[in-house]
């Protein structure tokens, strides 16, 4: 069966999309063939999973998601001289190993920023590329930027469903109606609907304000919010710096709750995909 493709999307920035995308991707990779697609020009997911030396070497001769959108483009920020050929699984997907598990990454690049004035039809190129590789994977996760942009729209067109990471503070949840409106716009533009797989609370702290917000969101999106939540924790920056998945970055047993949460979120994700897709 070809991969199920799920975008992680929220128009509010800094809510934990990338942290959830990377954590969930590594968790799924324990049992499945997983591709993580980074379509954010800030390439935070790429930076987390792929170490700097590997990435810089890759940029010199291989492709990034920029070439998926624009095959002839150069990754100039990395001094690249990428051949102007169509990107393939071999030239555009980096296999990364950790603890004996492999996660595949379609990396992003800063140069993606230049794509703003792309020709019509560019929004379909990610879907076409993923159509070509999806028989080799079980799950494809797309980490989106916090903008209603060409990138988010191309992720919409390429996906079977989307997942919404939500930081449950009163101001961040103001982004939810905005996201719903953006998704409606996409549905109108494309003539197709996209299933919302659910909402996941991220960067949770046990404060009265956050608990009240979580109660409200659980009421408003009844049955849609995942049971497990990702708590605010220390060490995320260090895990990123060391290119380690959060669930393996368990220095002195400091993050058992994040590890357990990711296991729970992953199981619920698999169940929802099985039942709904
Ligand atoms: N559970 C957490 N505990 C502590 N820090 C976190 C947690 N989740 C995310 N962060 C930190 O918060 C910041 C934003 O997280 P992240 O990059 O995952 O959000 P994002 O929604 O992908 O942001 P953007 O909109 O810029 O893409 C990062 O500095 C990250 O290290
Ligand atoms: Mg991000």
């Amino acid at each position: 069966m070809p991969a199920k493709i799920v975008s992680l999307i929220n128009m509010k920035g800094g809510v934990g999309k990338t942290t959830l995308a990377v954590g969930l991707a590594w968790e799924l990779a324990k049992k499945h063939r997983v591709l993580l697609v980074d379509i954010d020009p800030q390439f935070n997911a790429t930076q987390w999973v792929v170490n700097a030396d590997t990435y810089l070497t890759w940029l010199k001769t291989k492709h990034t998601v920029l070439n998926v959108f624009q095959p002839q483009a150069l990754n100039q920020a990395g001094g690249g001289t990428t051949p102007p050929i169509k990107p393939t699984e071999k030239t555009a997907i980096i296999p990364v190993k950790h603890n004996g598990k492999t996660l595949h990454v379609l990396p992003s690049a800063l140069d993606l920023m230049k794509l703003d004035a792309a020709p019509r039809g560019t929004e379909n190129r990610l879907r076409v590329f993923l159509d070509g590789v999806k028989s080799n994977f079980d799950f494809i996760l797309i980490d989106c930027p916090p903008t209603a942009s060409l990138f988010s729209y191309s992720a919409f067109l390429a996906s079977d469903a989307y997942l919404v990471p939500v930081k449950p503070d009163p101001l961040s949840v103001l982004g939810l109606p905005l996201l719903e409106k953006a998704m409606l716009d996409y549905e109108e533009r494309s003539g197709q609907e996209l299933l919302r797989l659910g909402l996941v609370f991220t960067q949770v702290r046990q404060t009265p304000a956050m608990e009240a917000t979580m109660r409200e969101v659980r009421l408003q999106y009844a049955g849609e919010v995942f049971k497990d939540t990702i708590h605010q924790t220390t060490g995320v920056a260090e895990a990123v710096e060391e290119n380690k998945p959060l669930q393996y970055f368990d220095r002195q047993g400091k993050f058992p709750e994040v590890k357990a949460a990711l296991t729970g979120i992953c199981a619920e994700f698999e169940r929802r995909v099985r039942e709904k897709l």
Side-chain angles (χ1 to χ4, degrees):
M1 251 210 324
K4 301 295 183 202
I5 306 180
V6 179
S7 281
L8 283 91
I9 187 159
N10 189 335
M11 300 307 170
K12 177 83 176 77
V15 295
K17 295 181 286 296
T18 299
T19 303
L20 180 62
V22 172
L24 181 58
W26 274 117
E27 202 59 32
L28 286 167
K30 287 180 180 171
K31 287 192 281 176
H32 306 282
R33 299 167 301 166
V34 184
L35 170 63
L36 176 63
V37 177
D38 187 358
I39 55 158
D40 187 341
Q42 294 305 321
F43 71 104
N44 290 330
T46 304
Q47 225 176 322
W48 191 336
V49 179
V50 185
N51 83 45
D53 287 346
T54 307
Y55 183 61
L56 288 171
T57 307
W58 184 269
L59 285 186
K60 288 201 180 358
T61 57
K62 296 279 182 40
H63 291 125
T64 69
V65 78
L66 170 64
N67 305 101
V68 169
F69 289 114
Q70 206 173 72
Q72 73 281 16
L74 286 182
N75 287 302
Q76 288 166 328
T81 51
T82 328
I85 51 166
K86 228 172 99 186
T88 62
E89 189 169 342
K90 272 224 165 68
T91 67
I93 294 177
I94 313 180
V96 181
K97 277 205 188 314
H98 199 91
N99 263 29
K101 307 292 171 200
T102 302
L103 175 61
H104 292 84
V105 183
L106 171 52
S108 183
L110 261 183
D111 297 85
L112 199 57
M113 273 190 248
K114 296 183 299 203
L115 254 193
D116 259 1
R120 265 183 87 159
T122 304
E123 67 273 17
N124 290 313
R125 287 177 176 263
L126 180 65
R127 180 181 53 74
V128 171
F129 177 82
L130 294 182
D131 274 350
V133 301
K134 69 182 179 187
S135 59
N136 298 330
F137 297 99
D138 302 309
F139 293 100
I140 299 177
L141 299 182
I142 308 177
D143 185 31
C144 294
T147 49
S149 53
L150 165 71
F151 309 119
S152 300
Y153 187 48
S154 59
F156 173 95
L157 293 175
S159 295
D160 299 308
Y162 69 103
L163 185 66
V164 188
V166 182
K167 183 176 175 183
D169 69 56
L171 292 182
S172 291
V173 298
L174 293 179
L176 286 176
L178 192 72
L179 171 65
E180 286 193 36
K181 189 172 171 309
M183 297 312 270
L184 266 179
D185 285 350
Y186 289 170
E187 288 180 4
E188 277 170 18
R189 257 164 90 181
S190 66
Q192 67 194 55
E193 285 185 21
L194 192 64
L195 175 83
R196 186 166 59 217
L197 203 59
L199 285 69
V200 178
F201 289 135
T202 56
Q203 291 174 273
V204 171
R205 280 175 292 117
Q206 241 99 48
T207 61
M210 277 208 171
E211 286 185 346
T213 305
M214 287 193 283
R215 274 196 302 277
E216 273 166 38
V217 174
R218 282 194 192 274
L219 270 180
Q220 199 184 338
Y221 292 85
E224 287 203 58
V225 183
F226 278 56
K227 181 173 154 290
D228 286 288
T229 62
I230 298 188
H231 281 237
Q232 178 83 20
T233 175
T234 54
V236 180
E238 287 87 337
V240 173
E241 202 174 291
E242 294 183 25
N243 307 112
K244 294 215 171 106
L246 222 42
Q247 52 271 62
Y248 295 116
F249 193 76
D250 201 11
R251 205 166 270 167
Q252 291 123 27
K254 251 165 114 185
F255 312 118
E257 70 284 357
V258 175
K259 208 171 168 175
L262 281 168
T263 308
I265 290 165
C266 183
E268 189 163 356
F269 177 90
E270 289 179 79
R271 181 169 58 72
R272 287 185 188 216
V273 166
R274 240 187 349 261
E275 288 171 2
K276 296 184 181 209
L277 285 176

